[in-house]
């Protein structure tokens, strides 16, 4: 690995686990209790942002702190109940995770999701062993701000220039590039042409990871 400390920073929702439909349905159920119809276009455009940034957009107004907390708690309770049965791994992701581990590339989760969701999903799919650190962006500025990725790189003691972010959302791709990192976008949540700011776009992980790493000069 050229003696350089490389790292892969993974988003979770839509990137490792296909959760978009599950999040959509649980947001829809939670908002309905407040008399709000979920706007699918607004949801799709902002998928990947943390709850604190997303909820006001879905509500259509800025809620007070109590309403925001109650809505998010209801939504995430519904999500954690449904996710084990209503989500699947993105095809080939275990191969990429294991290939990176075999190459001694450090790996992190850098997700907008609450930590409770992250740990639940990693445990459910038995993926914990692949990650050197886990960063939740719940209390950080929301993507497309780069904070969650910069925090993960700092935890791993890696230069941003030596990090590869794997994302599915437009906000996530923008955050990766704002952090000064390389980016692979997987087209699980958006069409390939919408993800053009990424360095590489893949449909899933059946493309060999080594092909990407070779293009970066990492192997």
């Amino acid at each position: 690995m050229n003696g350089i400390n490389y790292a892969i920073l993974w988003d979770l929702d839509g990137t490792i686990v296909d959760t978009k439909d599950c999040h959509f349905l649980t947001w829809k159920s939670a908002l309905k209790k407040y008399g709000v119809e979920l706007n699918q276009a607004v949801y799709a455009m902002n998928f990947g942002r943390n709850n604190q940034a997303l909820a006001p957009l879905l509500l259509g107004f800025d809620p007070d702190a109590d309403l925001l907390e109650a809505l998010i708690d209801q939504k995430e309770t519904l999500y954690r109940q449904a996710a084990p049965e209503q989500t699947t791994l993105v095809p080939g992701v275990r191969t990429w995770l294991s290939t990176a581990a075999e190459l001694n590339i450090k790996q992190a989760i850098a997700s907008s999701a609450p930590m409770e969701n992250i740990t639940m999903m990693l445990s459910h799919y038995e993926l914990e062993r692949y990650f050197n650190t886990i960063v939740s962006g719940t209390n950080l500025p929301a993507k497309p701000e780069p904070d969650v990725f910069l925090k993960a790189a700092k935890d791993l003691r890696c230069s941003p220039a030596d990090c590869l972010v794997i994302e599915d959302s437009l906000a996530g791709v923008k955050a990766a590039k704002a952090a000064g990192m390389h980016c692979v976008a997987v087209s699980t949540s958006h069409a390939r042409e919408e993800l053009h700011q990424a360095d590489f776009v893949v449909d899933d992980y059946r493309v060999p990871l080594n092909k990407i790493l070779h293009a970066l000069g990492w192997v």
Side-chain angles (χ1 to χ4, degrees):
M1 302 298 295
N2 305 325
I4 298 174
N5 193 25
Y6 293 118
I8 296 177
L9 312 182
W10 293 83
D11 176 52
L12 179 65
D13 290 298
T15 301
I16 293 176
V17 187
D18 187 350
T19 60
K20 190 175 183 181
D21 288 346
C22 188
H23 278 299
F24 178 82
L25 293 172
T26 51
W27 268 118
K28 185 175 182 179
S29 295
L31 287 165
K32 189 174 182 179
K33 295 180 180 180
Y34 294 90
V36 176
E37 187 71 25
L38 178 57
N39 184 313
Q40 189 166 359
V42 173
Y43 172 79
M45 181 61 65
N46 292 283
F47 185 70
R49 306 190 77 185
N50 65 25
N51 286 333
Q52 285 72 15
L54 179 59
L57 298 174
L58 299 181
L59 284 168
F61 61 89
D62 289 324
D64 62 36
D66 289 343
L67 173 56
L68 180 63
E69 182 179 359
L71 173 61
I72 290 172
D73 283 349
Q74 287 184 19
K75 184 269 171 184
E76 294 305 345
T77 297
L78 292 170
Y79 173 78
R80 285 189 286 270
Q81 291 170 349
E85 299 299 325
Q86 296 183 14
T87 64
T88 58
L89 289 178
V90 178
V93 70
R94 287 188 190 274
T95 301
W96 275 39
L97 289 165
S98 61
T99 297
E102 290 164 5
L103 292 170
N104 294 316
I105 298 174
K106 293 181 178 179
Q107 298 186 85
I109 293 288
S111 169
S112 299
M115 186 62 77
E116 188 175 355
N117 289 16
I118 297 172
T119 56
M120 179 199 71
M121 297 305 287
L122 294 182
S123 175
H124 177 70
Y125 288 106
E126 299 182 343
L127 299 176
E128 305 101 317
R129 67 185 183 277
Y130 291 111
F131 299 104
N132 303 92
T133 191
I134 297 172
V135 179
S136 166
T138 296
N139 296 315
L140 295 171
K143 300 171 185 176
E145 297 302 320
D147 299 61
V148 68
F149 294 131
L150 294 173
K151 174 70 164 59
K154 183 177 180 181
D155 286 355
L156 296 176
R157 299 182 180 179
C158 290
S159 166
D162 296 323
C163 292
L164 174 65
V165 170
I166 306 182
E167 263 286 357
D168 70 299
S169 72
L170 301 179
V173 171
K174 291 177 181 178
K177 301 314 293 180
M181 299 176 180
H182 307 288
C183 184
V184 171
V186 57
S187 60
T188 52
S189 302
H190 295 276
R192 293 177 66 95
E193 56 268 21
E194 294 181 81
L195 300 165
H196 62 89
Q197 292 185 35
D199 300 287
F200 310 92
V201 181
V202 299
D203 294 323
D204 54 39
Y205 304 109
R206 287 176 282 201
V207 175
L209 176 59
N210 278 331
K211 184 176 181 179
I212 304 293
L213 299 181
H214 181 74
L216 292 174
W218 288 17
V219 295

